[in-house]
């Protein structure tokens, strides 16, 4: 027989506490809510539920419960302390940094014995406020935290010189433009995921499989669990529902509004947890996720042989408003559950900002196949150029690209490159990633054959195919006397290459490979240092953080500070 449910306030409190201590937070919230049905005046149950809401990430509901308790006359001192402290934590969870700072200071002032507990929160609130106002972050600290098992970071959102505007010609009817002139590398946005799912969230062999009724495709693992996470958050904190429902959910569902306001509705409690008047719109959530879910895989690392069997998945709010280009003027990178978007070119005031919805490498046909889910035809400059080459040409290019790995000698690789070049109708100032990949493949084949000089020349050619301007192609002897080399002592021109938005990591990879070749094969420390400097400059444009993040990201401590070979 099922156990008899509690009949008293103390009974529901004991049951909720038991669940809470076992970290069954949803069950605890239901127990406290059921007790509150019977005893609505119980501030003990209400404040216990507030603590449970905080654990569940329902900060708005927690704030409502704390405010309700603080509004009661003759609230015992012990409960008032809990209400003040948990209210401050709820404000912090909502990203109300100044209010949180003041709330923690109020708690500390009224209860001096709690000063030691509140002080770190005051300092964190100030740090978050500074991040949100200035876009100044400790990128090394964020990167290090992103490598932890949890991968969920405690940082503030930041919105730079951008705004969401109505763009009726776009699929979702909106887009993001810059409000001021911005320069390449400038931080435009930092956004913490609304919800996220990482492989470490689940204990093997646990696996979740669903059928997506929007895409009619099966999903498993992290992607399958994201819809449940969104529904749970809305159920526990209804004030944030419109943040999700106002995103584009596909052509079969109602279009979103022309504007997007990144503000939740006024804080509201959930009087009876998981028993609410307005149903959670599961169809809308599935539609939103089908068109807006990202995979926050983190910064790419060399020599990373172990790949996760399941890709992480996350819903980011403002990043979902950016439209796509296969050669975008901005690019995103994730540090755990935090996304940073930077300009990859100088962007004039009023211009639209684009990101790529897919990995940048691949032929026109590969890109077209991936993007068919989002729209019928991509009209970006890169796809327009590829389409102009003609169907026969880009089909042949795809066939040759698929055979690239079979070019196991430099002779085969050279013939393949010649055949690839013939698929381009007009000579371009830069190509898509296909030619860059082909030349770098040739370089790696030459390295295996012991032709280090050929490796260097082909690696430089790969960079030029991607539009990077090299001003010192020398491989030995004195450095050429060129005034352009004196200022920064780099072998490349400090003009951001045209495909930085999709090939930034490739540029960095090849520059590091050249640095290694000069340092380890030729013993030329000067040239090695200069090519490493080029990699650092490109890395700072792509990811920010200067040389400190570059070192944390790419230097292998087991190699005593040397950059590992790719």
């Amino acid at each position: 027989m099922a156990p008899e449910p509690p009949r008293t306030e103390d009974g529901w409190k004991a049951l909720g506490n038991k669940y809470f201590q076992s970290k069954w937070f949803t069950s605890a919230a239901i127990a406290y809510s059921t007790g509150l049905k019977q005893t609505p005046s119980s501030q003990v149950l209400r404040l216990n539920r507030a603590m449970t809401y905080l654990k569940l990430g329902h900060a708005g509901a927690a704030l409502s419960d704390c405010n309700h308790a603080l509004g009661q006359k003759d609230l015992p001192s012990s409960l008032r302390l809990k209400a003040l402290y948990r209210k401050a934590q709820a404000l912090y969870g909502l990203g109300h940094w100044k209010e949180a700072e003041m709330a923690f200071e109020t708690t500390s002032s009224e209860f001096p014995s709690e000063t030691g507990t509140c002080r770190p929160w005051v300092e964190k609130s100030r740090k978050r406020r500074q991040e949100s106002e200035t876009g100044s972050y400790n990128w090394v600290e964020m990167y290090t935290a992103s490598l932890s098992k949890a991968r969920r970071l405690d940082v503030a959102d930041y919105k730079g010189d951008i705004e969401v505007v109505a763009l009726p010609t776009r699929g979702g009817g909106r887009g993001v433009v810059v409000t001021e002139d911005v320069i390449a590398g400038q931080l435009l946005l930092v956004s913490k995921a609304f919800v996220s799912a990482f492989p470490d969230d689940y204990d093997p062999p646990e696996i979740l499989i669903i059928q997506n009724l929007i895409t009619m495709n099966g999903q498993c693992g992290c992607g399958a669990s994201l819809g449940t996470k969104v529904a749970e958050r809305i159920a526990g904190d209804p004030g944030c529902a419109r943040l999700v429902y106002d995103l584009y959910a596909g052509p079969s569902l109602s279009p979103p509004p022309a504007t997007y306001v990144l503000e939740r509705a006024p804080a509201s409690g959930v009087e009876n947890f998981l028993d609410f008047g307005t149903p959670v719109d599961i169809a809308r959530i599935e539609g939103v996720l089908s068109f807006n879910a990202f995979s926050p895989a983190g910064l790419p690392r060399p020599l990373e042989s172990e790949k996760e069997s399941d890709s992480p998945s996350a819903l980011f709010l403002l990043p979902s408003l950016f439209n796509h280009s296969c050669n975008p003027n901005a690019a995103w990178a994730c540090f755990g559950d935090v996304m940073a978007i930077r300009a990859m070119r100088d962007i004039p005031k009023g211009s639209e900002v684009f990101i790529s919805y897919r990995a940048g490498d691949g032929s026109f046909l590969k890109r077209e196949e991936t993007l068919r889910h989002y729209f019928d035809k991509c009209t970006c400059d890169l796809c327009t150029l590829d389409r102009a080459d003609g169907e026969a040409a880009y089909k042949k290019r795809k066939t040759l690209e698929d055979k690239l790995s079979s070019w196991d000698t430099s002779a085969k690789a050279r013939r393949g490159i010649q055949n690839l070049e013939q698929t381009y109708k007009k000579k371009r100032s830069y190509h898509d990633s296909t030619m860059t990949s082909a030349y770098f493949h040739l370089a790696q084949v030459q390295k295996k054959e012991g032709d280090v000089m050929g490796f260097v020349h082909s690696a430089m050619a790969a960079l030029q195919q991607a539009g990077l301007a090299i001003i010192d192609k020398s491989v030995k002897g004195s450095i050429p006397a060129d005034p352009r080399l004196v200022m920064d002592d780099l072998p490349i021109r400090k003009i951001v290459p045209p495909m930085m938005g999709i090939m930034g990591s490739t540029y960095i990879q090849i520059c590091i490979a050249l640095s290694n070749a000069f340092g380890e094969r030729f013993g030329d420390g000067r040239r090695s240092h200069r090519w490493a400097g080029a990699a650092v400059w490109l890395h700072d444009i792509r990811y920010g953080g200067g040389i400190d993040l570059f070192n944390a990201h790419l230097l292998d401590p087991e190699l005593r500070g040397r950059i590992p070979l790719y």
Side-chain angles (χ1 to χ4, degrees):
M1 294 178 60
E4 187 75 15
R7 297 181 180 276
T8 65
E9 173 187 351
D10 287 341
W12 285 112
K13 174 189 171 184
L15 182 61
N17 291 351
K18 175 183 175 182
Y19 289 143
F20 187 92
Q21 290 163 5
S22 299
K23 298 185 178 181
W24 297 353
F25 299 124
T26 297
S27 298
I30 292 173
Y32 296 136
S33 295
T34 307
L36 280 166
K37 275 186 179 182
Q38 297 180 3
T39 316
S41 62
S42 173
Q43 303 312 314
V44 171
L45 290 175
R46 192 173 300 278
L47 290 172
N48 282 8
R49 186 174 68 174
M51 187 66 243
T52 307
Y53 281 155
L54 290 172
K55 292 292 186 180
L56 289 166
H58 305 329
L63 179 62
S64 179
D65 272 349
C66 292
N67 282 334
H68 184 283
L70 289 168
Q72 307 306 306
K73 293 181 179 180
D74 302 322
L75 187 68
S77 177
S78 60
L79 293 184
R80 180 169 176 81
L81 169 59
K82 290 180 180 179
L84 287 171
Y85 186 70
R86 291 170 190 176
K87 174 181 178 177
Q89 288 180 304
L91 289 167
Y92 188 93
L94 289 170
H96 298 168
W97 313 119
K98 182 61 179 176
E99 293 177 59
E101 177 187 340
M102 294 172 62
F104 282 116
E105 288 177 334
T106 297
T107 305
S108 178
S109 175
E110 191 168 333
F111 296 91
S113 61
E114 300 301 317
T115 299
T117 303
C118 293
R119 186 181 296 115
W121 283 98
V122 170
E123 293 172 356
K124 287 203 301 180
S125 299
R126 289 172 180 167
K127 186 176 182 180
R128 298 292 88 80
R129 182 155 61 97
Q130 183 183 33
E131 291 168 347
S132 67
E133 292 174 354
T134 67
S136 177
Y137 293 84
N138 187 326
W139 297 103
V140 173
E141 192 176 90
M142 289 173 61
Y143 175 71
T144 302
S146 75
L147 300 179
S148 68
K149 186 174 182 179
R151 286 192 265 191
R152 290 181 174 86
L153 279 58
D154 182 13
V155 297
D157 285 359
Y158 167 75
K159 182 168 151 306
D161 296 327
I162 58 172
E163 66 177 352
V164 178
V165 297
L167 294 173
T169 59
R170 302 296 183 197
R174 299 167 298 194
V176 177
V177 301
V178 292
T179 56
E180 301 290 342
D181 292 343
V182 303
I183 62 174
Q186 185 171 330
L187 184 64
L188 301 178
L189 180 69
V190 173
S191 177
K192 190 169 172 64
F194 181 79
V195 296
S196 59
F198 292 95
D200 287 333
D201 293 347
Y202 308 97
D203 295 323
E206 180 182 4
I207 188 169
L208 177 65
I209 301 175
I210 66 167
Q211 177 75 16
N212 187 314
L213 298 181
I214 304 295
T215 64
M216 300 309 295
N217 294 323
Q219 290 180 297
C220 64
C222 294
S225 69
L226 210 59
T228 301
K229 286 176 175 281
V230 174
E232 287 176 347
R233 180 160 179 189
I234 291 175
D237 199 354
C240 65
R242 71 183 182 193
L243 300 176
V244 176
Y245 295 159
D246 284 356
L247 295 176
Y248 179 65
S252 62
L253 296 173
S254 60
T259 58
Y260 186 82
V261 179
L262 192 63
E263 293 180 6
R264 61 190 304 286
S268 60
V270 182
E271 289 305 315
N272 303 308
F273 189 65
L274 298 184
D275 179 14
F276 36 88
T278 304
V280 174
D281 191 341
I282 299 298
R284 186 81 190 181
I285 290 171
E286 286 296 334
V288 165
L289 293 178
S290 295
F291 287 89
N292 297 287
F294 288 83
S295 180
L299 274 58
R301 303 188 72 211
L303 302 180
E304 199 164 48
S305 57
E306 290 187 12
K307 291 189 176 181
E308 293 178 316
S309 58
D310 183 17
S311 297
S313 188
L315 175 65
F316 296 90
L317 299 176
L318 267 187
S320 296
L321 276 295
F322 287 78
N323 288 310
H324 167 83
S325 171
C326 294
N327 187 17
N329 54 8
W332 57 276
C334 284
F335 299 77
D337 69 335
V338 175
M339 178 183 291
I341 297 179
R342 293 181 180 273
M344 293 293 105
R345 300 176 202 156
D346 294 349
I347 308 176
K349 178 180 178 179
S351 300
E352 187 174 3
V353 184
F354 297 94
I355 61 174
S356 178
Y357 291 174
R358 65 175 304 282
D361 58 340
S363 65
F364 168 71
L365 284 176
K366 282 185 177 179
R367 300 197 308 271
E368 187 177 56
E369 180 181 354
T370 305
L371 294 169
R372 193 171 290 122
H373 168 63
Y374 299 99
F375 33 69
D376 293 331
K377 180 180 176 181
C378 180
T379 57
C380 75
D381 57 347
L382 191 59
C383 285
T384 300
L385 281 171
D386 285 339
R387 206 173 278 115
D389 289 331
E391 184 176 0
Y394 60 68
K395 282 186 175 180
K396 182 179 179 181
R397 192 180 308 156
K398 167 68 164 55
T399 301
L400 289 167
E401 183 187 35
D402 290 343
K403 294 179 179 179
L404 190 146
S405 61
S406 67
W407 302 346
D408 53 2
T409 68
S410 56
K412 287 181 181 179
R414 290 185 187 282
R415 284 196 298 271
I417 288 173
Q418 289 175 353
N419 291 332
L420 271 176
E421 286 174 338
Q422 294 170 7
T423 67
Y424 293 91
K425 188 174 182 180
K426 295 181 180 179
K427 186 172 179 61
R428 303 183 187 180
S429 57
Y430 63 90
H431 290 85
D432 60 15
S433 63
T434 303
M435 288 299 296
T436 300
S437 298
Y439 270 98
F440 194 47
H441 177 78
L442 169 60
Q444 291 169 316
V445 170
Q446 289 170 317
K447 185 172 69 173
K448 289 180 180 178
E449 293 176 343
D451 182 6
V452 183
M453 192 70 72
F455 166 82
V456 169
H457 286 301
S458 295
M460 289 185 186
L463 290 174
Q464 290 180 297
Q465 289 294 325
L468 192 70
I470 301 176
I471 51 181
D472 176 17
K473 300 179 186 176
S474 67
V475 296
K476 59 183 178 179
S478 60
I479 302 296
D482 188 324
R484 295 173 300 181
L485 299 177
V486 175
M487 184 178 296
D488 299 298
D489 198 30
L490 297 182
I492 63 173
R493 191 169 296 164
K494 288 185 76 172
I495 298 174
V496 179
M499 301 188 74
M500 191 68 185
I502 53 172
M503 296 188 65
S505 62
T506 302
Y507 294 132
I508 297 163
Q509 173 186 1
I510 298 175
C511 287
I512 290 175
L514 284 166
S515 174
N516 286 334
F518 281 113
E520 299 183 1
R521 302 300 177 93
F522 294 133
D524 190 336
R526 175 78 187 282
R527 283 185 172 83
S528 176
H529 178 78
R530 294 170 75 245
W531 277 104
V536 171
W537 178 71
L538 290 164
H539 189 277
D540 191 44
I541 296 290
R542 180 62 182 86
Y543 302 114
I547 193 169
D548 290 335
L549 179 59
F550 178 87
N551 288 340
H553 176 206
L554 293 176
L555 292 196
D556 188 340
E558 293 185 3
L559 296 178
R560 297 182 181 178
R562 291 185 289 117
I563 303 169
L565 284 168
Y566 277 79

